[in-house]
Amino acid sequence: MPLAKRYKSEALLFLLILLPAPRPPRPTSLVVLLVVDQMRPDYLVRYGPQFTGGFRNLLDHGVFFQRGEQDHAVTQTAPGHSTLLSGREPARTGIVRNSLGVVDSASPLLDGSVPGASPRRFRGTALYDWMVARDSLSRALSVSRKDRGAILPIGRARASVYWYHGAGFTTSRYYADSLPNWVREFNARRGPERLAGAVWRLRLPPASYAEADRMPYENGGRDFVFPHRLPGSPDSAAAALIDFPWMDSLTLSLALEGVRALGLGKRPSPDLLSISLSSTDAVGHAFGPDSRELHDHLLWLDLWLGRFLDSLTTLVSRDRILLVLTADHGVQPFPEAGPLGAAGRVRLGELVSRTGAELARRYGTDFGLSFESGLLTVDTLGLHAKGISIDSLARTLARAAGRKPGVLRVFTPRTLAQASDADREALLWRHLIPQDYGWLFCISLKPGYVWSDGEAVAEHGTTAPEDVRVPILFWGGGLKPARIARPVRTVDIAPTLARRLGIRPAEALDGSALGEIVRETSH
């Protein structure tokens, strides 16, 4: 080797020896699941230039999977939440629809309210179970406005789980016989009542919003123009709060108070914080995904989320936090919005009620016939006991349903089992319906059509891309910012977190660890 080249190589080697070695990522001490109910991924792009708070922080410093999906039919809150930390589709969590999600008369609320709520219908395990299996001292806190939003990410585990009821946060007797002091003190501040008469005004000047503000199909034709006001009575304000942006601010405040009170993230082994924010769902249903109200609500949420993250990172270092932002489902436009809206509303109430009445007339019971978001369920064991051909009844009803305008595909148990694995619509329904579930038909709608029970609200629940797609974004833990275009699923979140934490799931999962997140593990 020439002398000059040898000296250059030796000088470079000497310099490398003097430079400090890169430090490995610090172990994660707090996992945060942040769910924005009814959040579509396009919102982060559409309103991104106006974000300056939490969403801006997450987008600038996180790994954003822009094509996240809830990979199942019946895109509702309960089944969607059941996938997030379980790594399994609703067909295996057993949470198929909202009406049979967490309602449980055997677990009344602490004030005795019924029917109460619990995760008794949830099958299998979730991330927190796996964390406790490795370290029994791991703790979890889960908060939401909705009971199902607080309960289902934790699975069947008994942890600190709280949701909004009346004028404060509570839980059911599945979890505890009384509220801890920190929750009682939080409720004693009477935050909801103190908002009585508060006015929801635009956060930015009106010219900053491209959306029109006088759409009479919004909010049932009532109070559809800014500003919007909470009732002046404290009790009425507390009840109405669930439909206003401030509900999310209150939920984030409770979560932060819980982190302080429980000392989450202060030990070498990780703890879990789950937050489900429900105001986007309320505002989206009432005003639609293309409304000025939805736009402005997200700007307020961006502000409050920024303050939350600033406060959280004073309690737990950002490089020891691993946060996931996602959603339980999306939403479709109002059919009444015209050319840019959905194509129409599909109702099957008459067919279902007529069938139920005929069964009751013949057999003295309707066999629990129930229709929700395209799925007709029934007590198949009862039908079988009466000698009724389930296949014949399903075919007859499926033919009648298939004649409805807007219906794309109708599957019976037999035809769904026979469908090809390459059939996307069939696959979404297979990911939803457990093998032991009693049902007669399931329906996919044509593009632009929505299910409706008669209410003039923006809807979700179908297999349409607007309902299925959700954001999936990882932040903290030493991750480098990136935007990823490939499709990923919410069932990929739990195995990814488990791999990062170095823990083993207790059962086979439907999802897979995301390579972009686990490439540099924290253990």
Side-chain angles (χ1 to χ4, degrees), residues 175-382:
Y175 296 103
D177 293 323
S178 63
L179 289 175
N181 288 336
W182 69 270
V183 179
R184 288 203 301 270
E185 291 170 0
F186 185 89
N187 289 338
R189 297 172 197 161
R190 298 172 57 84
E193 293 97 329
R194 291 165 59 187
L195 282 168
V199 179
W200 174 12
R201 303 185 189 278
L202 290 173
R203 184 165 176 238
L204 299 178
S208 303
Y209 302 83
E211 306 84 8
D213 192 31
R214 292 185 178 272
M215 298 300 171
Y217 53 80
E218 295 177 355
N219 203 33
R222 304 177 307 276
D223 188 24
F224 53 83
V225 179
F226 271 101
H228 305 284
R229 185 185 301 270
L230 272 173
S233 160
D235 289 344
S236 298
L241 184 63
I242 63 174
D243 295 322
F244 282 76
W246 296 296
M247 186 70 242
D248 282 351
S249 177
L250 191 72
T251 305
L252 288 167
S253 296
L254 179 74
L256 193 63
E257 193 75 13
V259 171
R260 292 192 186 101
L262 300 175
L264 296 185
K266 297 297 185 183
R267 302 178 312 107
S269 294
D271 295 319
L272 173 64
L273 172 64
S274 176
I275 307 169
S276 180
L277 302 172
S278 305
S279 293
T280 306
D281 186 69
V283 173
H285 275 304
F287 297 97
D290 303 305
S291 63
R292 182 171 293 194
E293 282 79 3
L294 192 280
H295 181 171
D296 190 66
H297 160 65
L298 290 173
L299 295 179
W300 283 110
L301 180 53
D302 173 60
L303 173 68
W304 294 325
L305 186 56
R307 293 174 179 174
F308 169 79
L309 291 175
D310 288 345
S311 298
L312 182 66
T313 51
T314 66
L315 300 173
V316 183
S317 174
R318 193 179 101 176
D319 62 354
R320 301 205 66 190
I321 296 172
L322 185 56
L323 180 148
V324 185
L325 168 72
T326 190
D328 51 353
H329 56 75
V331 68
Q332 294 198 63
F334 272 98
E336 294 79 5
L340 298 179
R345 298 182 183 274
V346 182
R347 299 177 177 89
L348 283 183
E350 182 182 349
L351 172 64
V352 175
S353 60
R354 188 171 66 245
T355 303
E358 179 63 18
L359 289 171
R361 186 185 67 79
R362 290 189 183 185
Y363 302 99
T365 175
D366 67 355
F367 299 97
L369 205 66
S370 177
F371 181 78
E372 188 173 348
S373 292
L375 180 63
L376 182 65
T377 58
V378 73
D379 175 11
T380 49
L381 293 178

Side-chain angles (χ1 to χ4, degrees), residues 49-302:
Q50 293 179 326
F51 291 146
T52 59
F55 288 133
R56 181 78 274 140
N57 187 340
L58 297 175
L59 287 168
D60 286 348
H61 302 287
V63 180
F64 179 22
F65 293 90
Q66 298 169 290
R67 295 181 61 191
E69 292 183 349
Q70 285 281 0
D71 195 25
H72 58 85
V74 182
T75 39
Q76 293 181 339
T77 297
H81 275 82
S82 81
T83 70
L84 299 179
L85 293 183
S86 71
R88 294 173 295 119
E89 301 290 359
R92 294 181 57 212
T93 68
I95 306 298
V96 176
R97 52 185 182 163
N98 280 343
S99 60
L100 291 177
V102 299
V103 174
D104 183 7
S105 58
S107 299
L109 305 189
L110 296 188
D111 65 359
S113 298
V114 290
S118 83
R120 294 186 199 277
R121 291 187 184 87
F122 184 91
R123 301 176 179 179
T125 60
L127 179 70
Y128 182 55
D129 297 299
W130 316 335
M131 294 169 67
V132 170
R134 189 181 70 173
D135 183 349
S136 61
L137 297 179
S138 289
R139 293 155 297 179
L141 169 64
S142 185
V143 298
S144 178
R145 187 263 284 180
K146 298 180 180 180
D147 50 8
R148 52 193 179 271
I151 291 171
L152 292 170
I154 304 300
R156 296 178 64 90
R158 284 174 165 84
S160 299
V161 178
Y162 307 104
W163 56 91
Y164 189 75
H165 174 75
F169 287 88
T170 189
T171 190
S172 77
R173 296 197 180 275
Y174 179 89
Y175 296 103
D177 293 323
S178 63
L179 289 175
N181 288 336
W182 69 270
V183 179
R184 288 203 301 270
E185 291 170 0
F186 185 89
N187 289 338
R189 297 172 197 161
R190 298 172 57 84
E193 293 97 329
R194 291 165 59 187
L195 282 168
V199 179
W200 174 12
R201 303 185 189 278
L202 290 173
R203 184 165 176 238
L204 299 178
S208 303
Y209 302 83
E211 306 84 8
D213 192 31
R214 292 185 178 272
M215 298 300 171
Y217 53 80
E218 295 177 355
N219 203 33
R222 304 177 307 276
D223 188 24
F224 53 83
V225 179
F226 271 101
H228 305 284
R229 185 185 301 270
L230 272 173
S233 160
D235 289 344
S236 298
L241 184 63
I242 63 174
D243 295 322
F244 282 76
W246 296 296
M247 186 70 242
D248 282 351
S249 177
L250 191 72
T251 305
L252 288 167
S253 296
L254 179 74
L256 193 63
E257 193 75 13
V259 171
R260 292 192 186 101
L262 300 175
L264 296 185
K266 297 297 185 183
R267 302 178 312 107
S269 294
D271 295 319
L272 173 64
L273 172 64
S274 176
I275 307 169
S276 180
L277 302 172
S278 305
S279 293
T280 306
D281 186 69
V283 173
H285 275 304
F287 297 97
D290 303 305
S291 63
R292 182 171 293 194
E293 282 79 3
L294 192 280
H295 181 171
D296 190 66
H297 160 65
L298 290 173
L299 295 179
W300 283 110
L301 180 53
D302 173 60

Side-chain angles (χ1 to χ4, degrees), residues 11-23:
L12 179 60
L13 178 62
F14 181 70
L15 179 61
L16 291 174
I17 292 173
L18 291 179
L19 289 173
R23 291 187 302 174

Side-chain angles (χ1 to χ4, degrees), residues 41 64-69 469-470 472 484-489:
F64 179 22
F65 293 90
Q66 298 169 290
R67 295 181 61 191
E69 292 183 349
R469 289 176 184 161
V470 296
I472 298 178
I484 310 297
R486 71 181 180 92
V488 297
R489 304 171 297 160

